[in-house]
Amino acid sequence: MVIPLSFRKNETSMEDYLIDLESERRVLSSMLHSEDACIEVYDLLSNADFYSPRHATIFDLAISLFEREIRPTLVELLKEGHSLGVFTNPRDIEELKYIVEQYIDDENIKYWIKKVKDKARLRKFEAFLKRNMQLLIEKQESDVEQVLMAAEEELTNLTALEIDDKIDSPADMANLGYSEVERRFLRLKEIRELHKGVLPLDGLPTGFDNLNHITLGYKAGDLIILGAQTGHGKTSFALHTSRAIAVDGRKNLLYLNTEMSREQIALRWGSILSQIDHDRVRSGDINETELSIILNGYSQLRESGFYSYPCPNLTPEKAISIARKFKAQKSIEMMIVDYVGRMDKLDPKLSEWQILEQIVKTLKMLAQNLKIVVMCLVQLNPDGSLQGAKRMKNECDLMLKLTPISREELEEREELKNYINPNYYIHIDKNRDGRSGVRIPITFDLQKQIMGDAKRIDE
Amino acid sequence: MPNVEQLVKKIYGETASLVVDSCLKGELGEEQMRFLLNLLDLSVVSRQHPELFLLLQEWMDCFEDSETDKIIEATLLALDFNDQEAIKDHMKIISELINGRKTIL
């Protein structure tokens, strides 16, 4: 069988329809001029989206520099390409120079990315048509139903689904289910034999043994909401979590703070890591021994995976952009947003709860897409309730509330008398993976900014 | 008419490709190419150490391909552009070499 004439006579225009070198150049050029563009491109394109092999190579070089935190300028690209032997003739340099001149405004980057992506999808469609045409020519005896079903599945993947999306077949689901059960069976066996009954975590440590036990750790893709009233330990909780994950666990974590300065955050670490009263650290009212203890504390911070980004004008879009950058460059496993009430409104017409709902939805999506844990801190009303709580609860995987234990409760609740100085509860309001409605008594030393499980008297 | 920013970008692109082209043609060594490219990024992208350019100008004004000039060139080529302190130290050395020669002359 011959390719229909109607296809062949329009070959030039078909090529125009399938290839858009200008958009490819614009995207590459923007990567060489702006870090924001790099973040967008990193997330949305791959080298397979470029028609020109030379463009795909330039894309790979730029991404490789970006991942190593080297701004991919023309000069850096030339140096990298030269040392890897990629640019060996003046035509390569000419092409690169031409690309650099195709600069665009940052705000247009999504438009050009979409154009590159669309052309790549069209080329896949063309390959699909060619392949199926070939199939018709070569295997005329094939089962029609089977041929059409296979073609339909492939076409669906090109239209409705993103490349990374995947539909689980019954066999996939059965395999996944069995491997999950097997993993849990082996883990429990290991707990019994090796860990003497102590559960190993599925995710990142929470910093509290009892919370670890109930949640098995914070898991990638989870959105965790922590609510507390003003002045009742939101930031302390965030830094306590950071200590468990980034200082003790040496995992990379990004901390976005909307209301504290760099100095304030740094000083808080001083007392957390030295266990010296925060007021004394802040005022400098310490002796030389304590100064050396503090110095020792900061050396732990230096070796940790704690990345801080004070950001008074944080918007959901900015949070996404920063998270993507740190995921690409630092492989962060968790992001903490302290706190969402202080994020800037994009639409002043929306009410407070609508804004919070939008932010929480965005953060949940971010956690899933980047496969990281996102914890966001929210402010509780004076009565302990949370504005838009129901909607927030729907979106999150784990909802925790940090509330003080009143003096009356301490006197009345017999159970609390089994603990040494419990003064706060972590209330598990929602837990998608386990028990909820549980209150864990903890000790919060406001002066030293330290939290921990309340010790039982018999321990 | 292109605005200043676009013009700078154009000159930046032209200069970078000229430097690499010269290296590919064998007119510049690998080390010299890297130095010139780093210098270009320093002036256009990071816009740091403007005093280095004044120093280079000063050197060019009295350049006579002498032994001192060769030492200055070697010092420049050994410059680590990622180490801010090293840049300052090297500039000090170069400045002393230039002044030393001026005194002799």
Side-chain angles (χ1 to χ4, degrees):
Chain A
M1 193 172 161
V2 195
I3 303 285
L5 198 63
S6 56
F7 256 50
R8 293 169 54 185
K9 72 177 178 190
N10 289 328
E11 236 160 56
T12 324
S13 59
M14 270 301 285
E15 202 165 89
D16 285 347
Y17 190 57
L18 294 172
I19 303 163
D20 183 355
L21 294 178
E22 190 204 342
S23 296
E24 293 186 5
R25 288 192 196 102
R26 299 246 179 208
V27 166
L28 292 172
S29 179
S30 66
M31 290 177 79
L32 302 184
H33 288 124
S34 138
E35 191 181 39
D36 286 346
C38 281
I39 296 169
E40 284 292 333
V41 175
Y42 184 86
D43 224 36
L44 298 171
L45 291 180
S46 73
N47 61 1
D49 291 322
F50 291 86
Y51 175 77
S52 154
R54 198 176 282 158
H55 290 172
T57 306
I58 294 169
F59 170 84
D60 282 342
L61 286 175
I63 288 293
S64 143
L65 288 167
F66 173 69
E67 282 176 335
R68 284 178 281 144
E69 292 180 71
I70 301 168
R71 194 175 153 191
T73 61
L74 172 63
V75 157
E76 292 298 344
L77 210 70
L78 284 168
K79 276 161 42 186
E80 181 83 351
H82 194 266
S83 61
L84 292 173
V86 175
F87 303 135
T88 48
N89 71 62
R91 275 192 61 202
D92 297 329
I93 314 301
E94 258 324 291
E95 169 74 11
L96 199 52
K97 193 179 83 181
Y98 185 60
I99 286 170
V100 175
E101 285 169 12
Q102 311 296 307
Y103 25 79
I104 55 169
D105 285 336
D106 264 5
E107 57 260 39
N108 297 333
I109 183 66
K110 282 192 175 148
Y111 168 79
W112 295 105
I113 289 175
K114 186 176 182 308
K115 286 192 82 173
V116 171
K117 195 94 192 161
D118 282 350
K119 293 292 179 192
R121 291 173 76 205
L122 277 178
R123 286 196 296 278
K124 277 187 193 146
F125 179 55
E126 190 218 17
F128 161 82
L129 290 176
K130 279 185 177 166
R131 210 168 34 252
N132 281 283
M133 180 71 88
Q134 200 65 32
L135 200 73
L136 281 181
I137 297 164
E138 289 170 2
K139 295 184 179 174
Q140 292 183 359
E141 302 305 313
S142 303
D143 179 49
V144 176
E145 194 65 28
Q146 212 176 348
V147 170
L148 292 178
M149 285 292 282
E152 191 184 336
E153 191 187 334
E154 203 179 332
L155 199 57
T156 308
N157 281 331
L158 275 177
T159 52
L161 304 172
E162 288 294 319
I163 296 161
D164 293 341
D165 287 348
K166 184 179 180 299
I167 292 176
D168 285 317
S169 68
D172 289 338
M173 193 43 71
N175 288 341
L176 178 69
Y178 181 73
S179 66
E180 277 297 305
V181 175
E182 188 186 33
R183 189 175 65 81
R184 282 153 206 255
F185 164 74
L186 293 171
R187 194 186 66 194
L188 200 64
K189 205 170 149 190
E190 191 186 328
I191 295 161
R192 286 184 181 136
E193 288 168 8
L194 291 174
H195 299 280
K196 294 177 183 138
V198 179
L199 280 169
L201 300 180
D202 259 354
L204 300 170
T206 66
F208 300 94
D209 288 343
N210 291 326
L211 193 57
N212 281 345
H213 191 73
I214 293 171
T215 62
L216 296 182
Y218 299 140
K219 292 165 226 50
D222 276 3
L223 173 70
I224 297 143
I225 293 179
L226 183 273
Q229 288 175 34
T230 309
H232 278 289
K234 279 196 298 297
T235 298
S236 302
F237 190 92
L239 293 180
H240 179 78
T241 306
S242 303
R243 180 185 183 163
I245 294 165
V247 179
D248 300 337
R250 298 281 178 95
K251 307 273 186 197
N252 288 355
L253 174 149
L254 173 65
Y255 175 62
L256 302 179
N257 192 301
T258 55
E259 57 179 0
M260 284 169 75
S261 67
R262 297 171 64 232
E263 289 77 10
Q264 284 171 315
I265 297 167
L267 283 173
R268 286 250 186 157
W269 275 115
S271 45
I272 291 170
L273 296 170
S274 67
Q275 308 206 353
I276 294 170
D277 284 1
H278 188 53
D279 282 345
R280 293 181 51 223
V281 171
R282 206 165 39 182
S283 62
D285 180 19
I286 48 173
N287 59 39
E288 285 183 356
T289 313
E290 286 170 327
L291 185 63
S292 112
I293 293 169
I294 289 170
L295 181 69
N296 192 38
Y298 280 122
S299 72
Q300 290 178 55
L301 185 63
R302 188 171 290 116
E303 303 298 320
S304 76
F306 179 78
Y307 292 90
S308 175
Y309 195 104
C311 195
N313 307 314
L314 190 66
T315 60
E317 284 69 22
K318 202 166 178 181
I320 292 172
S321 174
I322 298 164
R324 281 178 182 170
K325 176 180 150 81
F326 276 81
K327 175 70 183 175
Q329 296 184 337
K330 300 286 179 196
S331 304
I332 51 162
E333 294 188 37
M334 183 170 188
M335 178 172 88
I336 300 179
V337 182
D338 181 4
Y339 71 94
V340 294
R342 272 294 311 267
M343 281 173 109
D344 277 5
K345 289 184 185 185
L346 286 181
D347 186 351
K349 278 179 261 166
L350 294 177
S351 56
E352 192 75 25
W353 67 265
Q354 284 173 312
I355 302 279
L356 288 178
E357 187 190 3
Q358 266 189 6
I359 294 170
V360 166
K361 273 188 174 168
T362 308
L363 293 177
K364 173 63 190 168
M365 217 149 57
L366 189 67
Q368 286 180 315
N369 290 344
L370 297 184
K371 295 184 178 64
I372 59 171
V373 182
V374 174
M375 177 185 277
C376 70
L377 276 53
V378 294
Q379 194 158 304
L380 295 179
N381 295 325
D383 63 357
S385 66
L386 179 64
Q387 216 159 16
K390 203 173 166 192
R391 289 163 196 273
M392 282 202 191
K393 211 168 164 177
N394 284 341
E395 294 300 326
C396 74
D397 301 278
L398 184 66
M399 187 178 235
L400 307 172
K401 285 180 182 172
L402 189 64
T403 51
I405 302 176
S406 64
R407 191 165 292 173
E408 293 78 34
E409 246 181 309
L410 275 173
E411 284 164 9
E412 284 167 18
R413 286 196 62 192
E414 284 302 314
E415 182 207 326
L416 288 174
K417 292 177 182 153
N418 296 325
Y419 292 94
I420 303 165
N421 301 328
N423 58 353
Y424 272 78
Y425 277 129
I426 295 175
H427 179 83
I428 305 176
D429 211 13
K430 177 187 175 180
N431 181 11
R432 216 189 277 279
D433 271 350
R435 273 190 299 153
S436 60
V438 183
R439 286 196 294 186
I440 301 171
I442 63 161
T443 310
F444 174 25
D445 187 331
L446 191 64
Q447 273 308 308
K448 295 186 171 66
Q449 296 289 308
I450 295 170
M451 289 181 172
D453 289 281
K455 295 258 181 298
R456 292 186 75 93
I457 290 170
D458 51 17
E459 269 177 23
Chain B
M1 179 147 172
N3 63 29
V4 176
E5 199 186 341
Q6 283 180 337
L7 201 63
V8 170
K9 281 179 179 170
K10 196 167 171 55
I11 294 170
Y12 173 75
E14 294 279 354
T15 314
S17 42
L18 180 71
V19 170
V20 181
D21 251 353
S22 305
C23 181
L24 290 176
K25 287 178 193 158
E27 294 162 3
L28 281 176
E30 174 90 23
E31 270 187 320
Q32 288 160 325
M33 177 197 76
R34 285 188 175 275
F35 170 76
L36 291 172
L37 288 177
N38 285 329
L39 201 62
L40 185 63
D41 252 5
L42 195 70
S43 68
V44 180
V45 180
S46 56
R47 297 181 187 191
Q48 287 174 317
H49 302 292
E51 63 280 16
L52 177 62
F53 298 92
L54 294 174
L55 201 61
L56 289 173
Q57 182 65 54
E58 205 180 331
W59 177 42
M60 282 297 105
D61 288 344
C62 60
F63 182 83
E64 50 185 19
D65 208 10
S66 66
E67 197 183 333
T68 312
D69 289 319
K70 286 195 171 62
I71 296 170
I72 293 173
E73 187 186 337
T75 313
L76 284 168
L77 293 180
L79 209 59
D80 178 359
F81 282 82
N82 294 319
D83 186 341
Q84 301 302 313
E85 284 307 306
I87 294 179
K88 283 179 193 161
D89 291 346
H90 277 63
M91 280 197 299
K92 202 174 159 203
I93 296 168
I94 295 166
S95 178
E96 280 167 9
L97 285 166
I98 294 172
N99 290 334
R101 197 175 52 183
K102 277 182 185 165
T103 317
I104 295 165
L105 289 172

